[in-house]
Amino acid sequence: MGLYGLVFLPWAILSRDGAFAAAHAWCRLVRRLAPALVGIRTEVRGTPPAGEVLIAAKHQSFLDIILIYGALPRGRFIMKRELLWAPVIGQYALRLGCVPVHRGRRAQAIRQMVADVAAGRREPGQLIIYPQGTRVAPGVSVPYKPGAAALYAEMGTACVPVACNVGLFWPRRGLALRPGRAVVEFLPAIPPGLEAAEFLRRLEGAIEPASDRLMAEAGFRPAGPVPPKAAR
């Protein structure tokens, strides 16, 4: 990652297209090397959106970040402001249009982002969030947080749910990788304008069954109920 960042840095400084090219090139490299190095084949299903939209994704490991971001033309994240000072990463985050926030000021940052897009000061993109707020191991139940509904209401756009099974092969912690086919799937969009409770109900009702289906395809069978605290 560091090598790619340095190679693409002059282009990224001159043009935002260079930053996106670097990020997408690195995602492609990981996907191409994964079958040979660790036996993990990858697949992206569904239709990744191209306009201004909220992406709410199941988060099981670092691999789903790579697959989802690599499939989006102009993806961006909400990030801790402290990361701006990280060498290379901070500069790329700004060029990619990520939204740096102070702790407790996320709503203010999102309002500014929405205003900038509407005024033409920021190009439209796909804002990626993880509605459960953490990486969740396969078979573990973690509630969906109200922050996802707040972002959905603030942005006033559709939300595209994303399911995955990648945690079966690339775990949320450790390096015990397992060969197989890791899949992320872009699901039908949830239209804008829903009340928070209805939005979260529809979001969870889309992501969880689809993720269970993808994991079942890979041969995963839950051993039984797992306490929610096991996801932390």
Side-chain angles (χ1 to χ4, degrees):
M1 183 189 297
L3 178 61
Y4 265 62
L6 291 173
V7 168
F8 279 87
L9 190 57
W11 184 15
I13 292 173
L14 293 174
S15 169
R16 181 165 289 175
D17 289 341
F20 282 107
H24 286 137
W26 185 75
C27 290
R28 287 194 299 269
L29 177 69
V30 172
R31 293 189 65 182
R32 288 171 181 168
L33 293 180
L37 294 181
V38 294
I40 297 177
R41 292 160 292 137
T42 59
E43 180 183 352
V44 177
R45 298 181 185 175
T47 303
E52 182 76 5
V53 71
L54 180 65
I55 304 287
K58 186 74 173 178
H59 189 22
Q60 293 183 334
S61 79
F62 188 61
L63 183 56
D64 55 68
I65 297 176
I66 296 170
L67 297 183
I68 293 169
Y69 190 87
L72 297 171
R74 287 291 188 267
R76 60 189 179 220
F77 294 90
I78 297 174
M79 56 178 282
K80 294 186 297 184
R81 194 169 187 85
E82 290 78 6
L83 289 177
L84 291 178
W85 305 109
V88 181
I89 293 176
Q91 289 77 15
Y92 270 91
L94 284 178
R95 296 301 283 159
L96 293 172
C98 293
V99 184
V101 297
H102 290 288
R103 186 179 299 273
R105 297 183 184 177
R106 177 178 296 186
Q108 178 183 337
I110 294 300
R111 282 194 294 270
Q112 184 62 53
M113 182 198 71
V114 172
D116 287 347
V117 170
R121 294 188 295 268
R122 181 193 294 264
E123 63 180 317
Q126 301 83 46
L127 182 64
I128 307 162
I129 64 167
Y130 298 105
Q132 290 171 294
T134 185
R135 290 171 293 178
V136 179
V140 173
S141 177
V142 172
Y144 281 54
K145 298 183 180 298
L151 292 180
Y152 164 79
E154 190 67 47
M155 291 181 66
T157 64
C159 174
V160 175
V162 181
C164 74
N165 71 355
V166 303
L168 297 177
F169 313 105
W170 186 316
R172 53 192 290 270
R173 291 195 181 95
L175 297 175
L177 308 186
R178 185 169 75 86
R181 180 176 293 275
V183 180
V184 299
E185 182 174 355
F186 289 84
L187 304 170
I190 297 173
L194 300 177
E195 294 294 329
E198 175 63 12
F199 167 73
L200 288 176
R201 185 188 68 79
R202 292 182 60 170
L203 183 64
E204 184 171 357
I207 293 176
E208 293 304 310
S211 295
D212 290 344
R213 169 174 51 79
L214 294 176
M215 290 189 290
E217 285 182 18
F220 176 72
R221 297 293 183 272
V226 180
K229 67 180 181 180
R232 301 191 184 98

